[in-house]
Amino acid sequence: MTEELSKQPTPDEAEDAAYFPSPFSLNAYTAPTTGFAGLATERGAYTGGRWKVLVLATDERYLLMGNGSMFSTGNHPVETLLPLHHVLEAGFDVEIVTLTGEPAKFEWWAYPGEDEAVAATWTTLRDRWRSPRSLIDVVDGGLDDSDYLAVFVPGGHGALNGLPDSPYVRDLLEWAMNDDRLVVSLCHGPAAFLATTLDRESSVFDGYEVCVFPDSLDAGQNVDIGYLPGPMPWLLAEKLAENGLRIANDDMSGACTTDRNVITGDSPLAADELGRRMATALVERAEKA
């Protein structure tokens, strides 16, 4: 059936030279359900009421590609909502921020419309994605002694927009690392880690092992099958490695890795396991706090 589907990216009529993934690539990469395998912890395992997860989402829709076209992107819904399902069900609250306080953007073409776990989380957080806090306000307001037990950066190619270039992202992640809070991300989300190289001799993530979306797909198959409308402006794993991070994967298999306080995964296939690891670690840390 996939041979009959077009590999030409689908035009996004809202913007000149902007495109959604091709029908062929969507058939290959998306599904109506996820790999949700049940909760990692007992429902409501945390009852303390204080600790929460700060979610740093992108508010950018379009990623400018190497050929001048634009990819209609945002936060990947599975990579965002499935990990947060584990967090909410474990008893932790969620606060959402974007760089500007503008609404978070989603790759809605990847939304798994028949997945109950994802749907429940979308319903719970829907209004918060529409009215997030500004990261600038959060950072300027002071992070010391805050109630954020973890910082979570969802995946999606949209994370390459703005997050790597923001000193506010740098300050947030440096605080989280220096204060031994959890830092959790997957797929293209670790692009935010590059912000910690701004005006610094080295990154606080230097020497950490991470899983990310493989460059080999973004530079090859994703262009060939029309998932992307052109070559990437830059390659994530390559750039992270240049700044001292160790890349644990070279393919897309659902791999996750935990290195000290940093939990990462390679793709939507890793979203469930990443959520399980995050929820478990949150409960363990909350019990000791």
Side-chain angles (χ1 to χ4, degrees), residues 58-74:
T58 183
D59 53 10
E60 292 282 352
R61 168 67 65 203
Y62 298 109
L63 176 65
L64 183 64
M65 309 304 288
N67 63 355
S69 66
M70 289 190 288
F71 180 38
S72 186
T73 178

Side-chain angles (χ1 to χ4, degrees), residues 7-93:
K7 294 182 181 179
Q8 293 299 314
T10 301
D12 176 356
E13 296 182 0
E15 181 61 63
D16 178 55
Y19 298 88
F20 298 113
S22 71
F24 181 97
S25 66
L26 290 181
N27 184 75
Y29 280 167
T30 65
T33 59
T34 69
F36 178 62
L39 296 175
T41 65
E42 181 181 353
R43 182 172 277 104
Y46 171 65
T47 58
R50 174 189 176 186
W51 297 112
K52 55 189 172 183
V53 173
L54 184 68
V55 181
L56 174 58
T58 183
D59 53 10
E60 292 282 352
R61 168 67 65 203
Y62 298 109
L63 176 65
L64 183 64
M65 309 304 288
N67 63 355
S69 66
M70 289 190 288
F71 180 38
S72 186
T73 178
N75 303 282
H76 192 286
V78 174
E79 296 169 359
T80 306
L81 299 170
L82 190 53
L84 291 179
H85 183 71
H86 287 281
V87 170
L88 291 170
E89 290 298 309
F92 296 91
D93 198 8

Side-chain angles (χ1 to χ4, degrees), residues 95-157:
E95 184 171 311
I96 297 165
V97 298
T98 62
L99 288 182
T100 63
E102 292 298 314
K105 304 300 191 299
F106 278 86
E107 298 175 327
W108 203 250
W109 38 263
Y111 185 81
E114 298 176 16
D115 194 275
E116 294 182 1
V118 167
T121 306
W122 173 255
T123 299
T124 298
L125 299 177
R126 184 178 186 274
D127 290 344
R128 302 188 207 182
W129 301 117
R130 299 287 197 267
S131 301
R133 291 189 65 190
S134 161
L135 178 63
I136 296 173
D137 291 344
V138 170
V139 173
D140 285 349
L143 291 165
D144 292 341
D145 300 320
S146 72
D147 295 335
Y148 307 128
L149 193 56
V151 174
F152 173 48
V153 186
H157 282 79

Side-chain angles (χ1 to χ4, degrees), residues 199-212:
D199 300 320
R200 300 289 189 265
E201 292 185 2
S202 63
S203 166
V204 289
F205 294 100
D206 188 1
Y208 276 75
E209 183 177 68
V210 294
C211 285
V212 299

